Amino acid sequence: MPANVGGTTGNKCPSLFVGTGLFFGGFMEEKPKIISELEETRDKALASLSQVNDEEALQNWRRDYLGKASQVMLTFASLGQQPKDMRALLGQTANQVKQALEVALEEHTQRVKQTALLHKVQSEQVDVTLPGRAPVQGGLHPQTQVMRRIFAIFAEMGFQVYRTPDVESDLYNFELLNIPAYHPARDMWDTFHVEGEGVVLRTHTSPGQIHAMRQNAPKPVRVILPGMCYRYEQISARSEIQFNQVEVIAVGKNITFGDMKGTLNGFVRRLFNADVRTRLRPSYFPFTEPSAEMDVECFVCAGKGCSVCKSSGWLEILGCGMIHPAVLENGGYDPRVFSGFAAGMGPERISMLLHKIEDIRYFWGNDVRFLGQF
Ligand code: PHE
């Protein structure tokens, strides 16, 4: 088709896109400026769309080319003011441009979304082969551990665990253990008194002897009695006002001092090691006769003498003795027929020896730096 330069043929040509000109509104003239501008903007928009690669840029693009103030939309808005014979063509063109832009936007939006998703999936990839971080684990208190070892060793030797109350009467804590009110031995146990006549916090686990015997007499009894004891004392590196004890008692016929020695040696060797040396020293407790204390060879200096054993080479670990006839009787046994032994130890002292801990106050100080070591 030849160039239509100011043609006057009156020939209406439906084609809008003849590059150089067109028939328009009955006149042969240059393509109206407003239409070529729309097309230029369309081409520019489509070209710039390919550079858009995120959500925000998409929004901006939409605003620029399809928003209220965009050229296309303004064209629609201005149709009423355009010459009548141009309106149809202009409207059609604007529609086509708008449609082309919308289709392109839709396609490109999908592409951007896909790319973003792919990116997200790749960047958030979980490496399942990465070793996990172990959660911080709590542990058993060193005293719980030692108590359990003591229970296990005595269990092996046929002793059951038997629990008795922390709050006792003066009767059980003292009187029935052969410690009457006037007895000077009361001085061995500085006592916390609880409200109420003759109610005390037990100063030792020995009152459990009476409970255990009374519940079993006249059958033989072989139990250990673990638990907290309380003493109204000056707190120091060696003594606390609250501490554990484990009482050991065996009552039956023909139980001898030799049985006691054998049992306690067996216990100590299982707890520390098979060739630890022990000795029994004569001692005094109102509820045992004869009474003794058991020492183990000092671990720190192996008996040579050091500051821990105060140069003696020995460390005291428990008190013991043959149950006093008066106490057996209070427990419901005929002392002419029955005999028995008893021992009492402090598990904190034992832990201190096992772990070379130099201050008893660490046990109930609740410092995780200490507790975490066991
Ligand atoms: N109860 C005593 C104390 O607390 C220890 C002991 C128990 C001694 C049993 C002899 C027999 O020191």
Side-chain angles (χ1 to χ4, degrees):
M1 188 187 268
N4 298 293
V5 184
T8 53
T9 57
N11 191 1
K12 274 193 180 174
C13 173
S15 164
L16 291 173
F17 298 110
V18 281
T20 47
L22 73 168
F23 292 103
F24 188 71
F27 301 98
M28 273 285 273
E29 56 179 44
E30 280 297 313
K31 188 198 278 189
K33 199 164 159 251
I34 183 162
I35 287 187
S36 49
E37 272 175 8
L38 263 179
E39 289 168 352
E40 268 165 37
T41 309
R42 178 199 61 202
D43 295 343
K44 198 177 127 211
L46 293 179
S48 82
L49 190 58
S50 63
Q51 306 301 312
V52 165
N53 45 30
D54 63 41
E55 197 64 40
E56 202 193 329
L58 278 170
Q59 296 290 342
N60 293 341
W61 188 93
R62 177 193 287 280
R63 187 201 56 219
D64 292 348
Y65 297 108
L66 287 164
K68 270 193 221 134
S70 64
Q71 195 180 13
V72 180
M73 293 317 217
L74 288 178
T75 305
F76 284 124
S78 70
L79 272 182
Q81 284 105 60
Q82 300 292 343
K84 271 213 173 78
D85 54 358
M86 228 178 85
R87 284 182 199 164
L89 179 67
L90 189 56
Q92 218 177 25
T93 312
N95 255 328
Q96 284 168 346
V97 168
K98 181 169 169 258
Q99 232 174 43
L101 292 182
E102 278 170 353
V103 169
L105 177 66
E106 175 59 25
E107 274 173 19
H108 196 71
T109 302
Q110 289 312 322
R111 217 171 299 135
V112 168
K113 276 190 183 153
Q114 279 300 315
T115 315
L117 186 66
L118 196 70
H119 191 73
K120 197 167 139 132
V121 166
Q122 279 167 351
S123 70
E124 289 176 7
Q125 214 168 38
V126 176
D127 181 358
V128 290
T129 65
L130 196 71
R133 267 175 232 124
V136 183
Q137 251 190 336
L140 292 177
H141 192 284
Q143 268 324 95
T144 307
Q145 294 179 30
V146 169
M147 292 290 257
R148 288 188 180 182
R149 271 176 73 181
I150 295 172
F151 296 171
I153 294 169
F154 277 104
E156 260 176 34
M157 298 195 281
F159 287 77
Q160 281 185 300
V161 176
Y162 193 94
R163 297 211 180 247
T164 55
D166 288 29
V167 181
E168 279 288 2
S169 59
D170 185 275
L171 186 69
Y172 273 79
N173 197 75
F174 296 117
E175 292 275 344
L176 294 172
L177 291 172
N178 209 26
I179 320 166
Y182 59 78
H183 201 292
R186 285 227 174 183
D187 209 33
M188 291 166 75
W189 298 280
D190 296 306
T191 311
F192 280 114
H193 294 268
V194 180
E195 230 169 89
E197 186 67 36
V199 185
V200 301
L201 292 183
R202 66 177 168 196
T203 57
H204 51 176
T205 43
S206 299
Q209 290 184 26
I210 306 289
H211 290 293
M213 285 192 278
R214 287 190 170 180
Q215 285 209 0
N216 288 283
K219 286 182 294 190
V221 48
R222 192 161 52 176
V223 295
I224 58 171
L225 302 143
M228 273 290 169
C229 300
Y230 309 86
R231 287 191 197 167
Y232 186 42
E233 273 178 19
Q234 183 66 46
I235 296 174
S236 72
R238 294 281 299 160
S239 47
E240 260 283 10
I241 56 172
Q242 172 178 347
F243 53 92
N244 280 293
Q245 274 196 348
V246 178
E247 193 89 1
V248 186
I249 84 160
V251 178
K253 290 177 179 162
N254 305 316
I255 291 187
T256 66
F257 195 91
D259 292 327
M260 180 183 82
K261 189 177 167 185
T263 304
L264 296 178
N265 272 336
F267 163 69
V268 167
R269 284 175 190 152
R270 283 172 166 91
L271 184 65
F272 295 110
N273 67 68
D275 34 48
V276 67
R277 296 210 301 150
T278 59
R279 74 175 183 188
L280 281 171
R281 250 180 320 101
S283 185
Y284 174 74
F285 300 99
F287 35 87
T288 46
E289 180 59 36
S291 302
E293 279 173 325
M294 184 172 258
D295 294 341
V296 295
E297 198 170 53
C298 180
F299 301 98
V300 180
C301 63
K304 288 185 201 73
C306 67
S307 65
V308 174
C309 60
K310 300 200 184 81
S311 310
S312 70
W314 296 93
L315 298 162
E316 183 207 316
I317 61 156
L318 55 84
C320 58
M322 299 306 289
I323 300 174
H324 194 287
V327 176
L328 276 177
E329 203 154 10
N330 289 338
Y333 293 91
D334 181 347
R336 284 162 303 182
V337 183
F338 289 89
S339 60
F341 68 78
M345 67 188 83
E348 283 86 352
R349 294 269 170 93
I350 289 174
S351 306
M352 289 169 82
L353 297 179
L354 279 172
H355 303 298
K356 304 200 165 75
I357 297 162
E358 73 281 5
D359 195 319
I360 199 167
R361 288 169 292 195
Y362 284 128
F363 288 111
W364 313 117
N366 271 342
D367 187 334
V368 287
R369 291 170 303 176
F370 169 74
L371 298 174
Q373 296 176 72
F374 301 94

